[in-house]
Amino acid sequence: NRELVALGVANLAGSIFGALPVAASTSRSANVQLAGGRTHMIGFVVFVLVLLTQAVALPALAYIPQACLAAIVISEALGLIQVDQIKFLIRVRGNLDLFMMAAIFLLTVAISPQAGFISSVFVAVMFILRSTAVAHISLLGRTKGGRFVDAQENPELQRTDGLMVVRFEQSLHFANSSLLKHTLSRIEQYGDAHAHPSLPARLPPLAAVVFDLSDMVSIDACAVETLCELIKSYRSRNVQVAFANLRPEGKELFLRSGLIDLAGGVHHLFGSIELARAFLDGEAKDSSTYELGVPDIGVNEAL
């Protein structure tokens, strides 16, 4: 950031005197690296050399063909081609990355560097949006040791009829929360987020759901609004809702939005999935002892 500020200030100051704009250059960076430059002092040295060249050798340089300049740029840019990275992609069979690399290279050669650059940025943004547009949700099952792990990877896990424990595998935001309700509906009916909705339901009717939020680092207002609508839908069907492992930064937003009140109050917040499951299963004698997921001594002894 400091270098960007320095470039901006230099261009503002230089514009007063009619100077050429200062900009970064990939080929110049490669030239500096190949020349052994290690510190910012190389910039001052280049400045002095350019100044002397303009004052003394500029008339002679005017007769040099532009092809020579192109050859210099190409020879320096060849050092930027990372052959080892290409070999690595071939070894790990990164076919999509190789295809995009070849396509952008051909666009750069056939059309222009600008076309290749704009295409690469556009493709990168599309891939990022595609990877973040779908919320990754896992249905959890209970092992014999009492841990909750992904049920799809461990089909032999114990399940409680009517109880669904799901974990959000990433942060929730406006881009990936729009399909949240449909994804949870498929998990509720089929135990699989990718099941086709035309199939008959394979799981018994839902009575309670626990949301494990341990991997949800952040959440925005749009996602909270979606969760509010989801909780309202569950409560209209008399489905009990509890939250486990909610991070402190998300708790304040949950409280301000009224999401916790929709779920039944702060005693539906728990420090672990097991506490939430025990509360929803009716194993707790007094729900107030589970408030905020911090059980008292009596509950610990009971468990």
Side-chain angles (χ1 to χ4, degrees):
N1 289 341
R2 286 182 294 178
E3 292 185 3
L4 292 176
V5 172
L7 288 174
V9 172
N11 284 325
L12 286 174
S15 64
I16 300 176
F17 305 98
L20 292 174
V22 181
S25 170
T26 304
S27 59
R28 286 202 300 267
S29 299
N31 189 20
V32 167
Q33 183 179 6
L34 292 176
R38 291 292 181 269
T39 67
H40 291 294
M41 192 63 185
I42 189 70
F44 178 76
V45 174
V46 171
F47 159 73
V48 173
L49 292 176
V50 170
L51 190 63
L52 292 176
T53 301
Q54 289 180 336
V56 179
L58 198 59
L61 294 178
Y63 297 101
I64 297 179
Q66 290 188 359
C68 295
L69 176 61
I72 295 174
V73 173
I74 291 174
S75 64
E76 303 297 347
L78 287 176
L80 300 176
I81 299 178
Q82 300 178 0
V83 180
D84 293 338
Q85 185 178 8
I86 298 176
K87 292 180 179 179
F88 174 78
L89 291 176
I90 295 175
R91 186 168 68 251
V92 301
R93 298 182 181 179
N95 297 328
L96 182 60
D97 297 282
L98 289 170
F99 172 77
M100 296 308 305
M101 184 185 299
I104 293 172
F105 173 76
L106 292 177
L107 281 174
T108 302
V109 174
I111 302 178
S112 67
Q114 290 83 356
F117 174 76
I118 294 174
S119 300
S120 62
V121 172
F122 176 78
V123 171
V125 171
M126 289 298 102
F127 273 105
I128 292 174
L129 291 177
R130 181 177 179 273
S131 62
T132 59
V134 179
H136 298 281
I137 304 174
S138 298
L139 176 64
L140 304 184
R142 190 183 183 190
T143 65
K144 293 182 179 180
R147 295 190 308 109
F148 285 86
V149 296
D150 194 334
Q152 288 187 333
E153 298 179 358
N154 303 272
E156 74 283 355
L157 295 178
Q158 302 174 1
R159 295 187 184 180
T160 303
D161 289 343
L163 175 64
M164 180 174 71
V165 181
V166 294
R167 179 174 59 210
F168 297 137
E169 302 285 353
Q170 63 187 125
S171 299
L172 293 179
H173 46 80
F174 71 97
N176 63 8
S177 62
S178 58
L179 299 177
L180 191 60
K181 186 175 181 180
H182 299 286
T183 304
L184 288 172
S185 176
R186 294 186 182 186
I187 294 177
E188 174 185 341
Q189 298 182 62
Y190 312 107
D192 186 358
H194 304 289
H196 197 278
S198 64
L199 297 173
R202 297 197 296 260
L203 299 180
L206 189 64
V209 57
V210 177
F211 292 105
D212 177 21
L213 308 179
S214 56
D215 292 338
M216 191 186 71
V217 179
S218 62
I219 183 171
D220 65 6
C222 292
V224 170
E225 184 179 10
T226 302
L227 282 179
C228 286
E229 296 174 357
L230 188 64
I231 300 305
K232 288 179 182 179
S233 175
Y234 280 136
R235 298 298 291 164
S236 66
R237 297 158 46 198
N238 294 323
V239 176
Q240 298 294 321
V241 179
F243 299 97
N245 303 313
L246 177 62
R247 295 171 180 259
E249 52 269 24
K251 177 184 172 183
E252 183 179 355
L253 186 56
F254 274 40
L255 291 172
R256 288 202 310 264
S257 65
L259 178 61
I260 301 302
D261 294 331
L262 289 175
V266 291
H267 57 278
H268 283 249
L269 293 177
F270 300 90
S272 68
I273 300 176
E274 181 56 35
L275 288 175
R277 186 199 65 82
F279 171 70
L280 295 177
D281 278 354
E283 294 180 11
K285 297 179 181 179
D286 183 2
S287 62
S288 62
T289 58
Y290 286 85
E291 186 173 347
L292 299 180
V294 184
D296 63 10
I297 298 176
V299 175
N300 271 326
E301 292 174 350
L303 294 178

